[in-house]
Amino acid sequence: MKSLKTLTLSASVLALGAGMALAEGPALIFDLGGKFDKSFNEAAYNGAERWKAETGGEYRDIEMQSAAQRVQFARRMAESGANPIVVLGFQNAPTLEEVAPDYPDTSFVLVDAVADLPNVRSVIFAEHEGSYLVGMLAAMASESNTISFVGGMEIPLISAFACGYAQGAKAVNPDMNVIVNYTGNTPEAWNDPVRGGEIARGQISQGSDVVFAAAGGTGLGVLQAAADAGVYSIGVDSNQNYLHPGSVLTSMLKLVDEAVYQAFTDGPGMETGVVTMNLASAGVGYALDEHNADLITAEMQEAVEAARASIIAGETVVHDYRTDSTCPAF
């Protein structure tokens, strides 16, 4: 992670409406799925709240209800005088490509995609590396030699999770069967826990005893289905171990909260360009706490920590599906 200059900011919270007075201060635009999805969006919220608690500053935020609001909300925040503006989600790359050039004095931060513009910081994650580690844990915990993955939208970003997961599992057991399904091809795929539960139950009926969900709010249905069936699940983005203690094996952490916190701290005029959050920068990882301590043995943790060190050292290379749309584990 780059070492970036720290600024202390203060701001006023104002309503987002016509005739609003201009006021400097950071802002956060949540992606579809809701602020409190217990996953990606909520991680961002936690980062903003951490900044608020530490600085005493205020920030503004807004939740999209439809894709049609992407450009509208980004412009509204910029016109209000918010700076910097953090925009969540890979689907907002075109949003900032359209909006950011019109506000050259405003710093934007795009989380989960790249927009190559002088006033945009693009924060991306090595999801495949974190998924490799939880794939190892899944394989070590599995008694059926079958594990599975439930993704949200079938897009390269989510396929990178699935591919890393399978690579980690097969590093432990080359004969491990990995079932992969996706919820859909539209943004609704991120917020359909009923469908997530249906898919998980189908995978469990095929023998899966560890189910990894990378599907936003849809994943809550996956975790519930696994708990109901008495098998393990793996959460994503935020630490979801607490949702079903003793059932959630671990969570693949993606430190969206840290990306938001750093953006708010760095403030207007921040260093821009592409920032990659990976294992080396502690930008991804896996969750170990009181809720899953009895599920992860010392031997399992030792193996995963050795793999982490090997990946950071460049000795183990986890293939990123996004580079060529292929996965050596399948």
Side-chain angles (χ1 to χ4, degrees), residues 17-324:
M20 172 177 51
L22 296 183
E24 291 186 357
L28 178 59
I29 302 178
F30 293 101
D31 202 3
L32 295 172
K35 179 191 302 187
F36 299 113
D37 61 357
K38 295 180 170 51
S39 187
F40 180 76
N41 284 322
E42 191 161 337
Y45 168 78
N46 290 336
E49 287 294 297
R50 174 184 160 201
W51 173 86
K52 178 180 177 179
E54 290 185 6
T55 66
E58 297 289 350
Y59 68 94
R60 285 164 282 174
D61 63 18
I62 192 166
E63 299 180 62
M64 286 183 291
Q65 303 301 318
S66 72
Q69 295 172 320
R70 295 185 189 280
V71 170
Q72 173 192 353
F73 283 4
R75 286 196 181 281
R76 187 184 297 181
M77 281 293 192
E79 289 289 342
S80 78
N83 194 7
I85 300 171
V86 179
V87 185
L88 302 178
F90 71 96
Q91 289 183 300
N92 275 309
T95 302
L96 290 193
E97 287 166 357
E98 178 177 342
V99 174
D102 294 338
Y103 303 91
D105 295 329
T106 300
S107 296
F108 293 88
V109 179
L110 176 61
V111 178
D112 248 8
V114 174
D116 186 12
L117 295 162
N119 58 331
V120 177
R121 174 187 293 177
S122 301
V123 183
I124 57 176
F125 296 81
E127 292 93 351
H128 54 298
E129 293 182 355
S131 295
Y132 184 98
L133 300 185
V134 302
M136 289 183 65
L137 290 172
M140 288 185 280
S142 177
E143 296 180 355
S144 66
N145 282 341
T146 297
I147 61 175
S148 58
F149 174 86
V150 179
M153 287 181 70
E154 188 172 0
I155 54 173
L157 170 65
I158 302 304
S159 295
F161 278 93
C163 184
Y165 180 61
Q167 289 176 80
K170 293 194 176 187
V172 172
N173 177 4
D175 296 324
M176 181 66 60
N177 180 33
V178 184
I179 304 168
V180 175
N181 297 111
Y182 297 89
T183 312
N185 293 300
T186 67
E188 287 69 33
W190 306 116
N191 196 26
D192 191 348
V194 173
R195 178 61 178 151
E198 291 172 351
I199 294 173
R201 285 190 289 274
Q203 294 175 339
I204 294 166
S205 73
Q206 297 176 65
S208 174
D209 57 0
V210 186
V211 187
F212 177 24
T218 295
L220 299 179
V222 175
L223 271 56
Q224 183 66 60
D228 291 344
V231 303
Y232 291 129
S233 62
I234 296 176
V236 76
D237 294 346
S238 296
N239 184 351
Q240 298 182 318
N241 295 354
Y242 72 96
L243 292 175
H244 300 281
S247 176
V248 181
L249 180 66
T250 187
S251 297
M252 202 296 281
L253 300 177
K254 179 172 165 178
L255 272 67
V256 177
D257 56 337
E258 183 66 18
V260 173
Y261 173 82
Q262 289 201 7
F264 278 18
T265 300
D266 294 345
M270 68 175 65
E271 184 177 350
T272 57
V274 178
V275 175
T276 300
M277 300 184 71
N278 54 19
L279 284 179
S281 66
V284 295
Y286 69 99
L288 183 63
D289 60 20
E290 69 274 18
H291 301 297
N292 70 336
D294 293 338
L295 308 180
I296 307 296
T297 67
E299 292 77 16
M300 292 166 70
Q301 189 174 358
E302 182 179 353
V304 171
E305 288 303 315
R308 181 207 298 270
S310 181
I311 293 168
I312 291 173
E315 298 164 354
T316 297
V317 178
V318 184
H319 181 75
D320 186 349
Y321 177 89
R322 290 164 288 198
T323 61
D324 61 3

